[in-house]
Amino acid sequence: MKTWFLATRPWSFAMSLISVGVGAAWAGDYGVSWFWLILTAIALVCIHGAANLTNDYFDYKNKVDVPDAPTTKYRPHPLAQNLLTLHEVKWFALTLFAVGIVLGLVMAAAKGWPLILVGAAGIFIAVAYTAPPIALKYHALGEPMVFLCWGPLAIQGAYFVQTGAFSLPLLLVSAPFGALVSLVLLANNLRDAEFDRRQGISTIPVRFGGRSGRLLFAGLIALSFGGVAVMAIFGPLPIWSLAVLLALPLAWPMFKMVSQDIPDDADAQTARLDTVFGVLLLASLVLEHVL
């Protein structure tokens, strides 16, 4: 059971839970349904886990995640470590996709058909991320897709489940957190640039160069913090959202990190930053409706 659990990369689920929380908290004026909130969280975590499994499945099948690949050095990889077979991973992913789809259809039936479009877009990206013939990750499109999934799609989807509508201001609010989540992948791609180049994978650092990738990384961190600060002062975020600035002590080492050799745990350090940032953003939205 531990092998199956770790195969889904459960440490990454904080991103999905924060996205769901932010979307639901934005609906606070309408009243938040805990039932629909929990159902949304379960559905998104299932799709997220299935996406991680699908990513590993095709990376291993395409001989990208070979036993000596950088990714096997910093996290469990049941396929590369011969703990699970391709057949087992495929069916585990399909099972999680099925659970997520069923829950999504239940929510769509109760709240409205636009949720089907949100879910379909998310599942398409999850599969096409590494699956041929599209393989978005291999064509420098991984980061934009991650931004879209954990920013606008997940957050707007969670809001829609609560209210039956979308929110234009929330589209702006979702951008900073989505950008930071995408930086987890960018950190990974910066670290693995030479390996990816040898494997014929065209990530952003491979296609545009390491310097461009590092500037993008630093720029998106600055824009994420700056964007929330501006929205907290001028709207639509509450003034409480300035609390995200408390995460700046975690952000400064990120600037130093990308100016030097990228460490093995670069993505883990970036994930820590976006988790703290996301929790503070979520807490500020909850606080606005509590006080």
Side-chain angles (χ1 to χ4, degrees):
M1 290 299 295
K2 181 180 178 181
T3 299
W4 287 103
F5 181 63
L6 291 177
T8 64
R9 299 183 228 166
W11 54 86
S12 66
F13 295 159
M15 303 171 186
S16 290
L17 296 177
I18 290 171
S19 293
V20 170
V22 169
W26 195 255
D29 289 339
Y30 299 91
V32 175
S33 165
W34 283 97
F35 172 78
W36 292 114
L37 173 61
I38 293 170
L39 208 64
T40 306
I42 294 173
L44 186 54
V45 164
C46 284
I47 298 299
H48 190 168
N52 288 340
L53 290 164
T54 303
N55 182 6
D56 281 352
Y57 175 87
F58 283 107
D59 274 348
Y60 187 76
K61 189 175 182 180
N62 296 336
K63 302 188 185 305
V64 173
D65 285 353
V66 292
D68 64 339
T71 189
T72 64
K73 298 176 181 178
Y74 68 91
R75 71 170 177 88
H77 196 305
L79 282 170
Q81 295 164 345
N82 294 316
L83 299 175
L84 294 175
T85 66
L86 280 170
H87 179 78
E88 290 171 328
V89 169
K90 178 179 71 175
W91 282 103
F92 190 20
L94 289 173
T95 299
L96 290 179
F97 272 131
V99 174
I101 289 170
V102 169
L103 293 178
L105 290 174
V106 169
M107 291 185 284
K111 299 294 182 175
W113 65 266
L115 278 178
I116 295 177
L117 299 180
V118 173
I123 291 172
F124 171 79
I125 292 171
V127 175
Y129 187 72
T130 49
I134 301 175
L136 297 163
K137 172 186 170 182
Y138 302 167
H139 299 287
L141 291 172
E143 286 85 353
M145 295 302 104
V146 168
F147 163 79
L148 184 62
C149 282
W150 279 274
L153 279 178
I155 293 176
Q156 286 278 7
Y159 177 82
F160 191 97
V161 171
Q162 295 292 328
T163 66
F166 294 117
S167 167
L168 185 58
L170 184 58
L171 192 63
L172 295 175
V173 170
S174 68
F177 181 68
L180 287 184
V181 174
S182 73
L183 291 188
V184 177
L185 177 60
L186 182 56
N188 177 84
N189 289 339
L190 283 166
R191 183 197 59 220
D192 298 347
E194 288 305 316
F195 177 83
D196 290 339
R197 185 176 287 108
R198 292 196 302 269
Q199 297 295 102
I201 300 173
S202 182
T203 61
I204 285 178
V206 171
R207 177 169 292 187
F208 301 105
R211 176 177 171 79
S212 295
R214 291 166 190 263
L215 288 173
L216 177 63
F217 188 96
L220 286 178
I221 290 179
L223 286 172
S224 294
F225 278 92
V228 170
V230 169
M231 286 188 282
I233 295 171
F234 298 104
L237 282 171
I239 195 66
W240 304 108
S241 295
L242 288 174
V244 301
L245 299 180
L246 294 173
L248 280 174
L250 292 177
W252 177 244
M254 299 291 99
F255 291 108
K256 294 175 65 177
M257 179 186 76
V258 295
S259 67
Q260 304 165 357
D261 290 337
I262 308 297
D264 288 342
D265 66 342
D267 49 354
Q269 291 187 44
T270 310
R272 190 180 307 119
L273 170 63
D274 77 59
T275 298
V276 173
F277 181 99
V279 168
L280 289 171
L281 177 61
L282 173 57
S284 74
L285 296 178
V286 172
L287 194 60
E288 173 71 4
H289 295 295
V290 169
L291 297 181

